[in-house]
Amino acid sequence: MDSTDHANGPDDYRQRFRGDCENCFGLCCAALPFAASVDFAIDKAAGEPCRNLQEDFRCGIHTKLRSSGFRGCTVYDCFGAGQKVSQQTYGGVSWRERPETARAMFEVLPIVWQLHELMLYLTELLGRPAASKLHPQLGEKLAEIELLTRLEPDALLRLSVSVQRAEVNGLLLEGSELVRAEALQRRAARGEEPARGRQHPRGGKGGRKGRKPAIGRGADLVGADLRGEDLRGANLRGAYLIAANLGGADLREADLIGADFRDADLRGANLTGALFLTQVQVNAARGNASTLLPPGLERPSHWAG
């Protein structure tokens, strides 16, 4: 992906960071581990092909994953890393054709996955006018990481992704502040109050029962009742929103990077313009036809009508 691809529009850039199973060697089905739980019906070790992976690298139960106990598979997305590793890093030669490459190929996948995740966030900020003063730095970093994803397998395995993540995180934090500050300025100009939380029914970090939860970075909002809340421009980076009720909530321009949306109720919520929202987060939540999503994100097939 070229660092100018963000100019093609939000739909285009998100498509470039979406898994293309037709051009992948079933890497997520073989490389990644999972344990028997509500998300997976069986245990599987890293590097062990899933029992449902067919010889053509297709899933044998793709149309009935959730009903078969593999809900986690319907949530995951590789951000386009699978097809890059399969077709570019390994030149279209699969681990079944060359079994000696399997171990390294499986170890390379999560590295490229993390790099693609960083590229996705950088590209999003490049499309945000409020972060325009950062665009030169964002573009340079995006081009740098793109080159890293094209390294040979041995070089990728020696790469420190944590260093790249730390460098990118500084830009993302600054960009988030710019975007959210502009959103809050628009609200202030209209005489609107800043977002406030509602009572957290479970207490926890949000406060004892009867108090409003803290709305902020890393907030414990597990099971919180946030129906209809105005959370525009809120900082919800890394927030725990597991099973939270966000029905009808307004999350425009909220920073949602790393927020845990597992089983969160997003029916009727407005997420247009939300920062750093990914397809994985959307897939993990519950929503319906009235949930408003940013351009380029798909409404999961398991969502209610």
Side-chain angles (χ1 to χ4, degrees), residues 42-153:
I42 59 173
D43 292 318
K44 188 189 84 65
E48 173 191 335
C50 177
R51 68 186 187 189
N52 299 309
L53 184 64
Q54 302 179 121
E55 288 300 313
D56 61 358
F57 301 116
R58 295 174 182 268
C59 174
I61 60 168
H62 179 71
T63 59
K64 53 181 181 180
L65 280 166
R66 293 182 76 85
S67 61
S68 299
F70 289 86
R71 183 177 70 164
C73 297
T74 69
V75 172
Y76 178 79
D77 189 272
C78 71
F79 299 134
Q83 63 261 30
K84 177 169 280 187
V85 172
S86 298
Q87 302 302 325
Q88 294 185 25
T89 312
Y90 283 89
V93 181
S94 77
W95 51 273
R96 280 185 170 147
E97 294 173 89
R98 293 188 59 195
E100 69 274 15
T101 67
R103 180 175 179 178
M105 194 181 299
F106 296 161
E107 291 177 354
V108 162
L109 174 68
I111 294 172
V112 177
W113 181 90
Q114 291 180 78
L115 294 175
H116 268 227
E117 181 187 21
L118 296 179
M119 289 169 63
L120 171 62
Y121 297 146
L122 289 168
T123 306
E124 178 175 344
L125 274 184
L126 278 165
R128 298 276 186 164
S132 59
K133 76 173 189 178
L134 294 177
H135 284 181
Q137 294 169 266
L138 293 167
E140 289 176 10
K141 193 60 186 177
L142 177 60
E144 177 187 330
I145 295 179
E146 167 63 23
L147 289 176
L148 293 178
T149 68
R150 298 179 181 276
L151 292 173
E152 295 296 317

Side-chain angles (χ1 to χ4, degrees), residues 1 15 21 23 54 77 82 88 92 108 118 133 139 146 170 178 220 233 235 250 253 261 263 266 268 292 300:
M1 196 199 83
Q15 285 295 332
C21 298
N23 288 297
Q54 302 179 121
D77 189 272
Q88 294 185 25
V108 162
L118 296 179
K133 76 173 189 178
E146 167 63 23
L178 291 170
D220 178 0
N235 184 354
D250 193 340
E253 279 80 41
F261 278 98
D263 292 322
L266 295 176
L292 300 179

Side-chain angles (χ1 to χ4, degrees), residues 66 71 74-76 260-264 266 278-286 300 302-303:
R66 293 182 76 85
R71 183 177 70 164
T74 69
V75 172
Y76 178 79
D260 193 336
F261 278 98
R262 283 177 291 169
D263 292 322
L266 295 176
T278 68
Q279 190 66 53
V280 174
Q281 290 169 301
V282 171
N283 292 346
R286 295 181 292 124
H302 59 268
W303 277 16

